[in-house]
């Protein structure tokens, strides 16, 4: 009984004296020295030289033995930073921050585990530039306050400190400081095509006339290493460099981010950059261009070289990009209609004609801008919309107003084609003066203003006149159509009888061919008959001529004999006797030769036949008789 009481008293003394202290393995122990021959801490929060106070070294899990009644151990959890989050460190002791410095300099600090090294190497109090990444960290909560998304790790804080750290937590929550900066391109998401503009909250300020901090290169690993950023000459303020797709563990007390959209230059456009930052560049526009300066890319001003179609991570705080169309675009002077995004404020042009009508003229103009001249257009006019409203609209309106005053309303309507051709030629030269390429002008039909009936009456008269002309033409066409219909009917009837017609035509052709053949045959037969007749006649003539010659010879011989007899006889009876003899002989000859007394075919000529010979002979005899008997006829 006494032994048990003694043991209990000993245990109580051990507990009260603090000789033995147990620390769980998932905890850490902060040692506080209650008294020391060296006295208390004279400066700072921790006892670095054996003084009484909070000690810099921590104790880990297990049993630990201390001198009785000299030490107290404060057990705290280890700092745990969950996966994908960030932890922030605040030093409660160290060198005070200099004026203008927002966060503690960690250039000479490797980590926060060694308190003596931190304080000995000039560690500064306050929020630290270095952050904690995922994992479990053994950090002395007497010196450091660690703030994670889930908890704040520290020793007991007074009310003032507690309020301060609550304020810092609210600031970090507002900036999403416990999570990394994640930029990703997701098709169809509202977060797609984003980039981040960084604003640094620490470091030297911007120089005069600078709006953005200049880019200092890649050494700082996209603002994730503040000390390297500042060592490279980085300055506080909004940065010219932006962040694109990726995950960035950035201390939000050092730098904040703002998400903006990437700049997309669609096909058919170029982007003319108007830069607000950069150094002053040389004028590259040339001596002939006197409307401003064009500079090299990266300089302040209008860049000479435009951006081609594509997607750009362009910092819109560093400048702006004016889209200039490079394809043909239409400007419409017509209320309620638009051919492009640049003509929404254009209206019909009000004209005054030579005969005092006031029609409204709708028209369209097709324009093209050479992409190489796009920077000149922006430098001169600011943008295409201002070019259209401040220059092209007054110029085009003035041109057509001047032309309309030289024409009557009817002439204006009837000469629209001529007016359009002349306007195309005249305005082409005017557009070239503004670095534009004029393509075409399309003139609409003039229309009356609201409440004006005079023009409508004129138009009605013109329509009636045209209707009358069209009716005349219609009647003429109907007549032609009737004639064509008749011809069509005849053709259809012929087509229907085509077989019969073809047969009859073939019969006619056959008969014509047969008739022609018969004619040819008859002609041939006639020629044959005629040839035979001529041959027969020639034969007969030849035979008759021969026999007649023979008879004549005989007769002449007999006549000579008779003549001789007659002379010898010296009397009239002798001639008669001669004649009778000749006639007798002739008759015998004709009978023997069977020659017709009168030939069937008569031929011309004196001595052509026997009959004529006979007659000649009788005539000769008679003539001698008459000659021999004077006074006798």
């Amino acid at each position: 009984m006494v032994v048990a009481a003694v043991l209990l008293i000993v245990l109580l003394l051990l507990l009260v004296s603090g000789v033995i202290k147990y620390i769980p393995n998932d905890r850490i122990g902060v040692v506080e020295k209650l008294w020391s021959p060296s006295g208390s801490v004279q400066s700072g929060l921790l006892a670095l030289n054996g003084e009484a106070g909070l000690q810099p070294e921590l104790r880990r899990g297990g049993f630990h033995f201390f001198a009785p009644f000299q030490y107290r151990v404060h057990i705290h959890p280890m700092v745990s930073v969950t996966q994908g989050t960030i932890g922030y460190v605040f030093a409660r002791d160290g060198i005070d921050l200099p004026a203008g410095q927002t966060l503690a300099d960690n250039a000479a600090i490797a980590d926060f585990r060694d308190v003596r090294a931190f304080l000995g190497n000039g560690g500064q109090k306050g929020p630290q530039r270095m952050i904690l990444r995922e994992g479990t960290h053994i950090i002395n909560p007497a010196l450091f306050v660690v703030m994670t998304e889930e908890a704040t790790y520290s020793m007991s804080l007074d009310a003032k400190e507690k309020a301060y750290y609550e304020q810092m937590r609210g600031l970090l929550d507002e900036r999403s400081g416990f999570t990394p900066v994640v930029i990703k391109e997701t098709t169809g998401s509202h977060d797609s095509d984003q980039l981040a503009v960084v604003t640094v909250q620490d470091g030297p300020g911007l120089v005069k006339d600078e709006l953005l901090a200049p880019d200092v290169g890649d050494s700082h690993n996209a603002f994730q290493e503040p000390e390297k950023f500042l060592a490279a000459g980085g300055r506080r303020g909004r940065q010219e460099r932006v962040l694109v797709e990726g995950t960035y563990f950035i201390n939000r007390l050092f730098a904040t981010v703002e998400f903006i959209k990437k700049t997309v230059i669609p096909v058919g456009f170029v982007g003319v950059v108007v830069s607000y930052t950069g150094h002053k560049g040389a004028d590259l526009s040339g001596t002939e261009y006197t409307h401003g300066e064009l500079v090299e890319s990266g300089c302040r001003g209008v860049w000479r070289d435009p951006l081609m179609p594509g997607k750009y991570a362009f910092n819109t705080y560093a400048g702006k990009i004016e889209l200039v169309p490079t394809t043909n675009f239409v400007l419409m002077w017509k209320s309620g209609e638009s051919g492009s995004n640049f003509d929404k404020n254009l209206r019909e042009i009000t004209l005054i004609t030579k005969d005092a009508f006031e029609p409204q003229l709708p028209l369209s103009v097709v324009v093209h801008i050479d992409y190489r001249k796009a920077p000149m257009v922006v430098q001169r006019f600011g943008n295409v919309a201002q070019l259209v409203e401040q220059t092209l609209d007054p110029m085009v309106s003035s041109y057509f107003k001047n032309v309309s005053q030289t024409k009557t309303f009817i002439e204006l309507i009837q000469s629209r084609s001529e007016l359009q051709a002349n306007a195309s030629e005249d305005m082409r030269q005017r557009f070239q003066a503004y670095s534009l390429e004029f393509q075409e002008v399309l003139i609409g039909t003039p229309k009356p203003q609201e409440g004006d009936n005079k023009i409508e009456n004129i138009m009605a008269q013109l329509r009636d006149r045209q209707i009358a002309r069209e009716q005349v033409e219609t009647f003429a066409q109907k007549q032609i159509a009737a004639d064509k219909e008749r011809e069509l009917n005849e053709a259809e009837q012929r087509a229907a009888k085509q077989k019969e017609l073809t047969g009859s035509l073939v019969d006619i052709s056959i008969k014509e061919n047969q008739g022609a053949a018969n004619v040819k045959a008859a002609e041939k037969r006639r020629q044959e008959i005629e040839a035979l007749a001529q041959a027969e006649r020639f034969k007969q003539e030849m035979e008759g001529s021969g026999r007649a010659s023979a008879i004549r010879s005989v007769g002449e011989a007999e006549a000579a004999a008779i003549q001789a007899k007659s002379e010898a006889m010296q009397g009239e009876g002798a001639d008669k006797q001669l004649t009778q003899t000749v006639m007798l002989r002739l008759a015998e000859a004709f009978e023997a030769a069977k020659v017709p007394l009168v030939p069937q075919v008569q031929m011309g000529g004196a001595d052509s036949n026997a009959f004529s010979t006979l007659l000649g002979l009788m005539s000769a005899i008679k003539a001698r008789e008459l000659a021999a008997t004077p006074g006798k006829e």
Side-chain angles (χ1 to χ4, degrees):
M1 189 66 181
V2 175
V3 176
V6 172
L7 291 176
L8 180 60
I9 293 172
V10 172
L11 289 175
L12 290 175
L13 289 173
L14 290 175
L15 291 175
V16 172
S17 65
V19 175
I20 300 176
K21 188 65 175 178
Y22 174 75
I23 302 174
N25 290 325
D26 59 347
R27 296 288 190 269
I28 58 174
V30 179
V31 178
E32 180 183 4
K33 198 172 188 180
L34 301 178
W35 57 272
S36 174
S38 302
S40 299
V41 177
Q42 300 298 318
S43 63
L45 182 62
L46 299 183
L48 300 178
N49 300 313
E51 303 97 336
L54 296 173
Q55 303 299 302
E57 289 78 13
L58 297 175
R59 298 299 177 93
R60 301 293 299 273
F63 290 97
H64 298 270
F65 299 91
F66 301 94
F69 302 104
Q70 188 178 11
Y71 295 94
R72 182 186 302 164
V73 179
H74 304 273
I75 298 177
H76 289 272
M78 298 178 183
V79 175
S80 177
V81 180
T82 57
Q83 184 70 28
T85 61
I86 299 172
Y88 293 85
V89 179
F90 299 83
R92 303 171 69 184
D93 195 7
I95 301 174
D96 292 336
L97 296 178
Q101 184 174 328
T102 305
L103 302 179
D105 185 357
N106 300 137
I109 306 302
D111 54 48
F112 300 111
R113 292 177 296 178
D114 192 343
V115 172
R116 289 184 181 276
F118 176 83
L119 296 176
N121 292 333
Q124 296 175 333
K125 66 177 61 176
Q128 305 295 300
R129 292 171 181 167
M130 189 186 302
I131 59 174
L132 298 180
R133 294 289 300 275
E134 301 91 340
T136 301
H137 303 271
I138 310 301
I139 296 177
N140 193 330
L143 177 62
F144 298 107
V145 176
V146 179
M147 192 177 297
T148 66
E149 188 174 18
E150 294 83 9
T152 300
Y153 299 88
S154 69
M155 291 190 67
S156 60
L157 303 173
D158 58 24
K160 188 175 181 178
E161 282 186 312
K162 188 175 182 179
Y164 168 76
Y165 289 114
E166 289 296 331
Q167 181 182 358
M168 294 305 294
R169 176 174 288 276
L171 179 61
L172 290 172
D173 287 337
E174 181 182 345
R175 297 177 179 178
S176 300
F178 296 106
T179 57
V181 177
V182 179
I183 305 173
K184 59 183 179 180
E185 184 172 356
T186 304
T187 305
S189 172
H190 66 281
D191 294 331
S192 62
D193 292 337
Q194 284 189 330
L195 54 87
V197 177
V198 179
T199 302
V200 174
Q201 308 295 335
D202 198 4
L206 297 175
V207 297
K208 183 182 178 181
D209 298 331
E210 288 290 345
L211 299 178
L212 299 179
D215 189 6
V216 294
D218 301 321
S219 62
H220 52 84
N221 193 17
F223 307 99
Q224 297 180 97
E225 301 182 52
E227 300 299 345
K228 293 183 179 180
F229 170 80
L230 296 174
R235 294 179 176 273
R236 76 171 65 201
R238 187 175 283 117
Q239 303 296 303
E240 181 179 348
R241 168 168 288 206
V242 296
L243 300 179
V244 294
E245 288 81 3
T247 301
Y248 305 91
F249 291 87
I250 298 176
N251 186 337
R252 300 304 209 289
L253 298 178
F254 173 76
T256 58
V257 294
E258 176 186 357
F259 294 100
I260 62 174
K261 289 287 186 179
K262 292 180 181 176
T263 300
V264 177
I265 300 177
V267 176
F269 289 83
V270 294
V272 178
V273 179
V274 182
S275 179
Y276 303 149
T277 62
H279 61 276
K280 179 176 175 58
D283 183 13
L284 304 176
S285 60
T287 58
E288 297 181 358
Y289 187 78
T290 60
H291 301 283
E293 295 183 353
L294 300 177
V295 297
E296 196 68 48
S297 299
C299 299
R300 182 175 301 187
V302 179
W303 291 2
R304 178 189 62 179
D305 300 322
L307 301 180
M308 295 296 104
K311 188 182 297 184
Y312 295 87
F314 184 77
N315 189 341
T316 54
Y317 290 101
K320 66 177 180 178
I321 296 179
E322 292 291 346
L323 294 180
V324 177
T326 56
T327 56
N328 293 350
F329 62 94
V330 180
L331 301 176
M332 299 182 65
W333 276 261
K334 192 172 183 180
S335 301
E337 296 187 19
S338 177
S340 62
N341 295 326
F342 311 114
D343 56 359
K344 59 182 179 181
N345 295 326
L346 300 183
R347 300 292 182 268
E348 292 87 351
I349 301 174
T350 302
L351 308 177
I352 300 178
T353 63
K354 186 177 181 180
D355 49 359
F357 285 99
E358 297 183 5
Q360 290 183 330
L361 181 66
L363 59 90
S364 301
V365 175
V366 183
V367 185
H368 175 256
I369 300 177
D370 188 341
Y371 79 96
R372 292 165 294 189
K373 296 181 180 180
M376 296 183 179
V377 174
V378 173
Q379 175 66 40
R380 187 170 182 178
F381 301 101
N383 53 52
V384 179
Q386 293 181 5
L387 163 66
V388 173
E389 295 179 6
Q390 299 177 9
T391 302
L392 297 186
D393 184 22
M395 181 185 70
V396 174
S397 299
S398 175
Y399 175 84
F400 284 99
K401 286 178 181 290
N402 294 338
V403 172
S404 66
Q405 292 178 354
T406 64
K407 298 180 179 294
T408 64
F409 179 72
I410 300 300
E411 292 174 343
L412 187 66
I413 295 177
Q414 295 178 343
S415 63
R416 186 170 69 95
S417 177
E418 178 184 357
L419 176 61
Q420 184 168 294
N422 294 336
S424 297
E425 185 64 27
D426 295 341
M427 286 197 290
R428 181 170 286 106
Q429 300 177 358
R430 301 190 182 191
F431 274 57
Q432 288 178 352
Y434 300 105
S435 302
L436 304 175
E437 295 181 6
F438 175 86
Q439 299 295 317
E440 188 176 7
V441 60
L442 306 174
I443 301 177
T445 303
K447 64 179 182 179
Q449 300 185 34
E450 186 176 356
D452 186 1
N453 297 326
K454 296 179 181 179
I455 294 179
E456 183 60 32
N457 294 335
I458 293 293
M459 297 298 292
Q461 294 176 7
L462 291 177
R463 285 193 292 268
D464 293 341
R465 189 181 305 170
Q466 185 63 33
I467 291 173
R469 293 194 187 98
E470 293 297 330
Q471 288 179 341
V472 172
E473 180 66 20
T474 300
F475 296 152
Q477 294 297 327
K478 284 184 177 181
Q479 183 176 358
I480 294 174
D483 294 339
K484 292 296 183 181
E485 184 179 5
R486 183 180 65 254
E487 294 177 2
L488 176 62
N489 293 334
E490 293 176 356
E492 290 177 348
Q493 293 298 324
R494 283 197 299 271
K497 299 295 184 179
Q498 187 63 42
K499 183 176 181 180
E500 299 178 5
L501 180 61
T502 303
S504 62
L505 290 176
V506 171
D507 292 341
I508 292 173
S509 178
I510 292 173
K511 291 179 179 180
E512 287 179 351
N513 292 335
Q514 290 177 349
N518 294 334
V519 170
K520 291 291 184 179
E523 178 66 18
K524 188 68 176 176
R525 181 62 180 167
R526 182 188 67 78
Q527 291 177 356
E528 292 177 357
I529 293 173
E530 183 176 317
L532 292 173
Q534 289 180 354
E536 182 66 24
R537 181 183 62 193
F538 181 77
K539 176 181 178 182
Q540 293 178 0
E541 287 178 353
M542 292 297 102
E543 292 178 352
S545 177
R547 292 178 180 179
S549 297
I551 294 173
R552 184 172 57 192
S553 299
V554 173
E556 289 178 351
E558 290 181 353
I562 294 173
Q563 181 67 30
K565 290 178 178 182
S566 177
E567 291 177 353
M569 298 175 75
Q570 294 288 324
E572 181 181 355
D575 293 333
K576 291 181 179 181
Q577 182 64 38
L578 178 61
T579 301
Q580 291 177 355
T581 302
V582 170
M583 292 297 294
L584 178 61
R585 294 296 184 195
L586 286 174
E588 289 176 356
F590 278 116
E591 181 180 3
K594 298 181 180 181
V595 177
L597 184 61
V598 179
Q600 294 179 352
V601 179
Q602 297 291 329
M603 302 295 291
D607 298 328
S608 60
N609 53 56
F611 184 73
S612 61
T613 303
L614 179 61
L615 290 179
L617 178 60
M618 293 177 68
S619 297
I621 297 173
K622 188 65 180 177
R624 284 195 300 267
E625 290 178 355
L626 292 176
T629 307
K632 192 176 182 178
E633 298 179 3

